[in-house]
Every structure is written in structure tokens, then in C-alpha cells.
Amino acid sequence: MSEPQGSESTRQLPVVEKVAESELDQAASAADHTPLPTLDDAEDGNGRFWSARRVPAGVLALLVLAAAGLLLYDVVAVRADRPAMHWRRSLARELAERPLDDTWVLVGAGVATALGLWLLVLAATPGLRDLLTMRRAHPDVRAALHRDAAATVLRDRAMEVSGVQSVRVRMRRRKADVRAVSHFRELDDVRADLDATLADGVRGLGLARRPALSVHVARPGRKG
């Protein structure tokens, strides 16, 4: 004996309610979800990485420490009624007697100026020129791509183009210089395909500042 139709519809109602509740939960979670920034977002906070420069800083610190220690020792010795070291007496005499246009005075001043400018450049520039800053996918994570790795990726993409025999990529911070050799097809067609493929490859690198592309295509040289 079959059950009445009303009981079947009554049994299916919880299923409909569960489906409706599930759809509402998904809609609420989608509304509350904030997507991560994509590769086309603003470039705020994507500055270059700064080098620690431990070797120059360590060498400079050791030199300053040694010079200060030696000078302090000599000053204490003089205060203790002992004669000053020979190097300090000789240096004071040379500085007092030599004119300012003397060759050695000019050489010493030039060396000191060059060292000072070098230290200022190291302090004011970030360094790490081989690292290309990538766009941030998360505010707390920073990433960089080595220039050689980026050049390898572009070279592999260029080799996929029909007619390309060999490719040489020189990756700089602001420009990617691509030189390809094509052994068949028209050079204009190969160059157009390379432009499209490499432009897509540069976008795929996810760099904070996309380098400009310079593509050159030539025929292989004659042998012999």
C-alpha cells in the first residue's frame, strides 16, 4: 500500500531547507571574504630590498676601533709623562711643515674624499641590484626574483616560438634585452610572436615594476 503524496512532500522539506541554509551560508561567507591583492593592484610598499653590507661596515668598524684605540693609548701615555709615539710626532710635524699644494697632501685628501663618497653611496643606495622586487600577494610577505632566473624564464618562453633557433636574454632592472636568431619564417612574423610571448612572460613574472622589452631578431651567420 503506497503512502499518501503529502507525506513525501513533507519529508523533502528539510532537504529544501538545508539547501537554502547552505546557499545563505555561502553567500554570507562570500560577502565577508576579502580577496588578496592581485598582480594588477597598486605598487605601494614594493620598494627594493636593502643590502646589509656587513663586510664594508665590519671593515670600517675595525679600522675606526684600531685607530681610536691606538690614539687613546698614546694620549694616556702622554698624560702619564711618557713621550708620544714616533708616528704621532712625525705626523704632526709633516702636517705643520708641508704646504697644502704638496703632492702627498693632495693624494691623501683625494683618497680620503673618495672613501667618504664611497661610504655615502653605500649608505644612500639599497644595493642588491640582482634582485627584482615582486608584487605583494600578502601585506606581510615580500619576495624577489633573481635577474638570472627571470632571464632564464624569458629565454625558455622565447624558445617556444616557431622559427627561433637560439635566444640570448640580458635582464636589467628596467629593461630586458632579447636577441634571437631565426632560421626560418619571416623575421617580422617571428618578432611579432616574440613580442606577444615575451610580454605575456614578463606579466607572468609578477614583478613590481615590469621591465621594458627590447627584441632583436636576426638570421644565423654564415659558416666558414
Side-chain angles (χ1 to χ4, degrees):
M1 185 174 227
S2 61
E3 295 182 359
Q5 296 296 328
S7 61
E8 290 185 4
S9 60
T10 305
R11 289 183 181 180
Q12 293 177 357
L13 283 177
V15 178
V16 175
E17 292 177 356
K18 289 181 179 179
V19 172
E21 292 177 358
S22 176
E23 292 178 353
L24 290 176
D25 293 340
Q26 292 178 0
S29 62
D32 296 337
H33 175 67
T34 302
L36 293 175
T38 61
L39 297 180
D40 295 329
D41 287 342
E43 300 180 3
D44 295 339
N46 285 308
R48 289 176 56 184
F49 287 81
W50 280 73
S51 173
R53 293 192 170 98
R54 294 181 178 88
V55 174
V59 171
L60 179 62
L62 289 177
L63 291 176
V64 172
L65 181 62
L70 187 61
L71 182 60
L72 180 61
Y73 174 81
D74 192 41
V75 170
V76 171
V78 172
R79 291 290 183 178
D81 296 332
R82 293 184 180 179
M85 290 186 178
H86 176 71
W87 67 269
R88 195 154 72 96
R89 298 197 306 268
S90 177
L91 179 61
R93 184 175 60 254
E94 292 292 337
L95 292 176
E97 295 177 356
R98 285 184 180 270
L100 294 179
D101 58 351
D102 184 76
T103 303
W104 288 108
V105 174
L106 296 178
V107 170
V111 171
T113 303
L115 289 176
L117 291 176
W118 178 61
L119 293 176
L120 289 176
V121 170
L122 291 181
T125 55
L128 298 178
R129 297 185 59 83
D130 289 338
L131 295 182
L132 303 176
T133 307
M134 302 180 69
R135 290 179 180 268
R136 287 192 178 187
H138 193 278
D140 297 330
V141 178
R142 295 188 65 197
L145 184 64
H146 200 279
R147 283 198 292 180
D148 292 342
T152 300
V153 172
L154 295 182
R155 184 190 62 192
D156 293 343
R157 291 296 302 271
M159 289 299 297
E160 298 175 358
V161 175
S162 177
V164 175
Q165 183 180 15
S166 63
V167 181
R168 186 179 62 184
V169 180
R170 184 180 180 185
M171 194 73 180
R172 302 176 182 175
R173 294 201 58 83
R174 301 179 182 271
K175 183 179 179 182
D177 189 9
V178 181
R179 297 185 178 274
V181 175
S182 175
H183 56 298
F184 70 94
R185 293 183 66 196
E186 293 293 333
L187 295 183
D188 293 338
D189 296 339
V190 176
R191 185 180 295 105
D193 291 346
L194 281 175
D195 288 337
T197 301
L198 293 176
D200 182 69
V202 169
R203 286 192 297 268
L205 294 176
L207 299 178
R209 177 178 294 175
R210 295 175 184 172
L213 278 174
S214 176
V215 181
H216 303 273
V217 184
R219 293 296 185 193
R222 294 183 179 180
K223 296 182 180 179

